[in-house]
Amino acid sequence: MVRVLVTDGMEKSGIEELRAKGFEVVEKFYEPEELGAQLHNFDVLVVRSATKVRQPIIDKAMEAGRLKLVIRGGVGVDNIDVAYAMEKGIKVTNTPNASSASVAELAIGHMFAVTRFINIANVTMRQGKWDKKKYEGIELGGKTLGLVGFGRISKEVAKRAEALGMKVIYTDIIGKAEGFDQYEFCSFEDVLKRSDFVSLHIPLNKEKGAVIGKEEIAMMKDGAYIINCARGGVVCEGALLEALNSGKIAGAGIDVFAEEPTKNEALVNHPNVSVTPHIGASTAEAQTRIGAEIVSIITDFFKA
Ligand SMILES: NC(=O)c1ccc[n+]([C@@H]2O[C@H](COP(=O)([O-])OP(=O)(O)OC[C@H]3O[C@@H](n4cnc5c(N)ncnc54)[C@H](O)[C@@H]3O)[C@@H](O)[C@H]2O)c1
């Protein structure tokens, strides 16, 4: 019988479907020092982001040679040593489409939160304050949204921003996207210079580091906003904090941090920042889609 280990949770309906199809599913989180040995008894490992599948775990698992497939329920596979696993004959895959709409909605949500002070008004009202005069915001309609990266999530953000009456411009290292002429493709520098909101939707390149640092912020409009629902480290937190303090950047919406959980209290507590604890994909709909995608990946993989 094919045995599946789910370490970071998975949608109930997906687990039930796998069991109905004859797979044996065990849901249990193991500490890194224990995980490798446990994997002697499993064909498939399903993780989200909490479980790190690093080289020593892969080596330990491969002593038994049973593990064949690792699935990351979600987009980024930075918690898995993908090349090393593949080298050892383990297939690594993810569920890239399932959460795009959810992340896009959160990015838009952060834009509303910072421009209308929804974040900070929640805090101050709970302290008994009525700071009505302080919270004159701006509308999103009529503003320019610059998207860095124009992949799955970014396209969903663009659609929603367009519906709000925003002008959408974008940049991507692979160039102009076919079939999206309603949005303007431009250089990274132009996105920085022309946007009222810059929203990032790219993976983290660990070697290159932050895409938005001091120099890039200097190129941006005074009073622009930065939204990061991509990966911590894509925006330099130090440079962002400095720009928020000087007023160069009017506000920021942040779902992802260089270190998670973050210890950057100055950034989290900044009045012009809207923060969430990496919940871009945390919706019922995304989790259901992720579960369904995992079921179909496993079923296809073990098809006779
Ligand atoms: N906040 C969350 O919970 C959450 C959830 C899912 C995904 N994400 C993150 O969102 C990001 C985007 O996901 P996606 O599904 O849209 O990915 P995608 O692969 O569909 O799109 C990424 C795009 O960025 C482009 N790109 C890469 N580096 C670039 C750069 N330096 N400048 C310009 N363009 C660049 C790529 O060419 C690609 O078109 C990923 O980093 C992912 O990890 C976050």
Side-chain angles (χ1 to χ4, degrees):
M1 182 183 264
V2 175
R3 299 192 79 226
V4 180
L5 176 64
V6 177
T7 53
D8 303 329
M10 182 180 154
E11 175 69 17
K12 225 175 167 184
S13 60
I15 291 192
E16 279 162 12
E17 211 183 322
L18 280 174
R19 287 184 178 140
K21 285 177 185 287
F23 296 98
E24 189 182 333
V25 185
V26 175
E27 287 181 273
K28 192 166 167 43
F29 178 83
Y30 289 104
E31 294 300 334
E33 49 282 3
E34 221 190 320
L35 180 60
Q38 289 296 334
L39 288 171
H40 288 179
N41 308 313
F42 291 94
D43 305 272
V44 183
L45 171 65
V46 178
V47 303
R48 283 166 75 172
S49 53
T51 299
K52 313 285 179 237
V53 190
R54 300 291 172 219
Q55 283 193 21
I57 289 171
I58 295 166
D59 285 338
K60 189 78 191 159
M62 288 320 283
E63 285 174 2
R66 183 164 178 178
L67 185 67
K68 301 169 190 74
L69 176 63
V70 175
I71 306 172
R72 152 81 162 108
V75 179
V77 282
D78 21 2
N79 54 322
I80 303 169
D81 286 342
V82 179
Y84 192 74
M86 309 274 259
E87 213 176 274
K88 299 283 169 191
I90 301 166
K91 183 176 174 179
V92 180
T93 182
N94 59 351
T95 60
N97 303 304
S99 53
S100 306
S102 297
V103 182
E105 287 193 8
L106 185 69
I108 299 280
H110 275 302
M111 288 186 217
F112 279 122
V114 281
T115 52
R116 301 305 303 273
F117 305 98
I118 299 171
N119 55 330
I120 189 68
N122 265 288
V123 175
T124 55
M125 280 194 74
R126 283 168 199 175
Q127 293 163 348
K129 293 181 189 158
W130 187 262
D131 287 339
K132 187 176 163 74
K133 288 214 172 70
K134 254 186 164 176
Y135 300 143
E136 185 189 89
I138 58 163
E139 293 178 353
L140 298 185
K143 304 297 184 301
T144 299
L145 168 65
L147 298 167
V148 180
F150 198 61
R152 288 171 288 253
I153 295 171
S154 209
K155 290 185 178 94
E156 294 294 325
V157 176
K159 217 192 294 177
R160 287 156 178 79
E162 188 186 14
L164 291 168
M166 299 184 88
K167 178 180 172 57
V168 178
I169 63 176
Y170 72 94
T171 191
D172 194 298
I173 46 168
I174 58 169
K176 187 176 185 304
E178 289 295 320
F180 292 90
D181 289 345
Q182 67 272 43
Y183 314 125
E184 186 185 333
F185 172 72
C186 45
S187 68
F188 177 51
E189 285 72 21
D190 270 351
V191 163
L192 294 176
K193 284 179 189 157
R194 291 173 50 195
S195 302
D196 300 298
F197 295 81
V198 170
S199 189
L200 296 116
H201 301 285
I202 56 175
L204 172 66
N205 181 328
K206 281 189 181 138
E207 275 125 54
K208 290 194 178 149
V211 165
I212 303 276
K214 212 174 168 159
E215 268 175 46
E216 291 74 23
I217 289 175
M219 290 165 76
M220 289 174 66
K221 279 186 179 178
D222 290 343
Y225 294 80
I226 294 176
I227 308 295
N228 184 9
C229 290
R231 275 290 176 269
V234 163
V235 176
C236 169
E237 290 182 2
L240 176 60
L241 189 60
E242 204 181 304
L244 284 161
N245 285 336
S246 72
K248 168 75 188 176
I249 294 298
I254 315 168
D255 185 47
V256 286
F257 296 84
E259 186 189 354
E260 295 182 357
T262 182
K263 295 189 184 75
N264 195 340
E265 285 180 28
L267 190 62
V268 169
N269 291 318
H270 198 287
N272 298 338
V273 166
S274 168
V275 281
T276 43
H278 201 151
I279 55 165
S282 302
T283 63
E285 291 84 353
Q287 294 313 311
T288 303
R289 277 185 229 116
I290 287 172
E293 219 171 312
I294 291 171
V295 172
S296 82
I297 292 168
I298 294 175
T299 313
D300 287 351
F301 188 86
F302 290 99
K303 234 180 224 162

